[in-house]
Amino acid sequence: GARSGSGTSAAANTGYLPTSMAARAKELVVEGRTLHDVVLGGSRDGLTWRANVDAQELNGYLEYRQPSGAEQGRVHARLARLNIAAQAAREVETLLDQQPANIPALDIVVNDFELKGKKLGRLEIDAVNRGAADGGVREWRLNKLALTTPEALFSAQGNWAAVSAQAPATPRGRTEQHRTAMRFQLDIADAGGVLARFGMPGVVRRGHGRMEGQIAWLGSPLSMDYPSMAGGFRVNVEGGQFLKADPGLAKLLGVLSLQSLPRRLALDFRDVFSEGFPFDFVRGDIVIDKGIASTNNLQMKGVNAAVLMEGKADIARETQDLKVVVVPEINAGTASLVATMINPVIGLGSFMAQMFLRQPLMRAATREFHIDGTWSDPKVTRVGRGAAAAAADAPASPAPLPSPVPADNK
């Protein structure tokens, strides 16, 4: 297609362009992107180009309307398949380095979408350029982003717009700064299948539930910038099992599965975690600030134990600093009692202090660990319960006394 600097010149140039075309080629370069084994039939009506395309990379109907005056360009596509390889994805990211106002509106449906070798199912995108009539900030608004697979449905809305000059610079060092913000929901039918589709097989078996929240970062929608990432989300997944397997890319999930506990220490919980931890649910709230994800109410409930966590993980550096409390099933319902939804305002420390007052027998069986280091090589340390806990456990004590929250409970 032809490019031009203005709508007027674009309209003038169309008089010299063909109104129909047909092509068959081993390779065809379009806007810097190469298509292979191409069969194309197209037509032009003024500023609008229409084409049916069959190539290795895509198959279906495309329509492109060039920008004209104040009206932005628009891409309409209904494709049976679209495959964006890693190199092509980098080219798209380079395209998105420019101003959001230069990106056309998108109305795209792809039945079989593949990105960087990962089959992501059915893709739907509805995005437009918006700008205030009084000269306000123009944004590229994502009205709808949906990915549908047999294992899950991902849906999101958001925008990509300029931010204030006070915003920190991105690693690419561009003078103008743009921020991507997105609200998302992931409805999960098979958590293990979702992870396998994204290149992380053998980490979780089964599991269903939901993740929802919002997230933002400096840069384009395709270039996540971890140091500037902020937001938060809630996770609630039920009826699954962490597997005893090399976590591969899912290193943090490998840490959370607690396989590192029996591998490094001779513990009372070897039978609980060594062969993979089946869970009734995993749930909690995660907050992200400058690429640091933190929680004070992450809970896992299994048949033999409840696991409660608080702490943080550095997404860019792949490190963590976590406090883990394991409460075994002492009698029927104990783990269920512990693994109630912890109020995020109270946090884990206050919750456990209150629980020990109501269930003093749990104190002796409860174990606490500190996990730090890298995701690929976590360091696990058994944490003593402190003088207050020991005094409360002593048989000479006439009654359980209110004990302060230990110093390392935040």
Side-chain angles (χ1 to χ4, degrees):
R3 282 185 169 181
S4 73
S6 70
T8 302
S9 58
N13 288 339
T14 57
Y16 300 96
L17 295 174
T19 57
S20 63
M21 68 194 79
R24 181 186 295 269
K26 292 294 292 182
E27 289 188 355
L28 178 65
V29 179
V30 181
E31 298 289 345
R33 184 182 175 193
T34 302
L35 302 178
H36 299 86
D37 298 328
V38 181
V39 178
L40 178 149
S43 64
R44 178 184 63 82
D45 180 8
L47 296 177
T48 302
W49 299 79
R50 300 180 177 89
N52 286 291
V53 183
D54 180 42
Q56 288 184 11
E57 293 79 9
L58 64 98
N59 173 272
Y61 173 77
L62 293 166
E63 183 176 299
Y64 172 59
R65 181 170 180 82
Q66 295 175 250
S68 177
E71 186 177 348
Q72 299 299 310
R74 178 177 180 270
V75 174
H76 171 91
R78 296 294 182 267
L79 304 178
R81 56 179 170 81
L82 173 63
N83 182 356
I84 300 179
Q87 179 58 40
R90 285 191 291 270
E91 293 169 0
V92 174
E93 291 176 14
T94 301
L95 173 67
L96 292 180
D97 277 345
Q98 55 186 290
Q99 297 279 349
N102 295 334
I103 307 301
L106 301 178
D107 175 13
I108 296 175
V109 177
V110 182
N111 287 332
D112 183 7
F113 178 56
E114 184 173 334
L115 176 65
K116 299 181 181 179
K118 296 180 176 60
K119 293 184 177 296
L120 302 183
R122 177 181 170 87
L123 168 70
E124 298 175 70
I125 299 177
D126 176 14
V128 295
N129 269 297
R130 299 287 191 195
D134 60 1
V137 173
R138 176 172 289 278
E139 65 171 350
W140 192 67
R141 182 176 299 174
L142 185 63
N143 295 323
K144 178 180 183 181
L145 169 63
L147 286 167
T148 305
T149 71
E151 302 86 11
L153 169 61
F154 175 84
S155 59
Q157 305 81 39
N159 70 352
W160 178 38
V163 294
S164 65
Q166 286 75 28
T170 64
R172 299 186 184 186
R174 296 189 296 275
T175 54
E176 75 280 4
Q177 294 296 308
H178 297 90
R179 179 175 178 265
T180 297
M182 188 178 297
R183 180 179 294 277
F184 71 90
Q185 179 173 307
L186 178 64
D187 290 300
I188 304 168
D190 181 354
V194 172
L195 292 172
R197 187 175 289 271
F198 281 85
M200 295 174 276
V203 179
V204 172
R205 177 183 293 133
R206 300 185 308 277
H208 62 275
R210 173 178 292 182
M211 289 176 58
E212 58 184 332
Q214 53 191 358
I215 194 169
W217 61 88
L218 291 179
S220 78
L222 288 185
S223 302
M224 283 191 173
D225 179 50
Y226 291 136
S228 67
M229 187 173 290
F233 60 92
R234 170 169 291 183
V235 58
N236 188 354
V237 178
E238 302 177 351
Q241 180 181 8
F242 288 107
L243 300 178
K244 185 182 180 183
D246 180 357
L249 296 176
K251 297 171 188 173
L252 180 56
L253 281 175
V255 173
L256 298 182
S257 73
L258 301 180
Q259 292 177 37
S260 54
L261 298 188
R263 195 163 60 235
R264 286 163 171 77
L265 298 171
L267 300 175
D268 303 332
F269 308 117
R270 181 177 298 274
D271 60 327
V272 177
F273 302 113
S274 61
E275 297 303 322
F277 181 57
F279 56 83
D280 295 338
F281 62 73
V282 176
R283 64 191 182 193
D285 298 282
I286 288 85
V287 176
I288 304 174
D289 182 30
K290 297 179 181 177
I292 307 296
S294 60
T295 182
N296 66 355
N297 71 335
L298 189 64
Q299 307 139 74
M300 298 190 295
K301 162 66 174 64
V303 175
N304 300 316
V307 180
L308 310 176
M309 294 188 189
E310 68 177 5
K312 59 187 178 181
D314 188 319
I315 302 173
R317 294 182 174 86
E318 297 192 355
T319 60
Q320 74 274 314
D321 183 4
L322 299 171
K323 173 184 175 181
V324 179
V325 175
V326 182
V327 183
E329 184 76 86
I330 301 172
N331 48 49
T334 301
S336 298
L337 180 66
V338 172
T340 56
M341 181 60 78
I342 304 173
N343 187 333
V345 176
I346 296 176
L348 177 56
S350 297
F351 176 84
M352 292 308 300
Q354 295 174 17
M355 185 60 66
F356 286 154
L357 291 177
R358 296 198 299 267
Q359 301 284 330
L361 291 178
M362 286 170 38
R363 183 188 295 270
T366 297
R367 297 291 181 268
E368 182 180 324
F369 306 94
H370 178 234
I371 304 179
D372 60 357
T374 64
W375 296 357
S376 57
D377 186 23
K379 302 296 187 294
V380 180
T381 306
R382 170 82 173 271
V383 178
R385 287 170 292 142
D393 287 341
S397 300
L401 299 175
S403 57
V405 178
D408 59 348
N409 286 316
K410 295 185 172 71

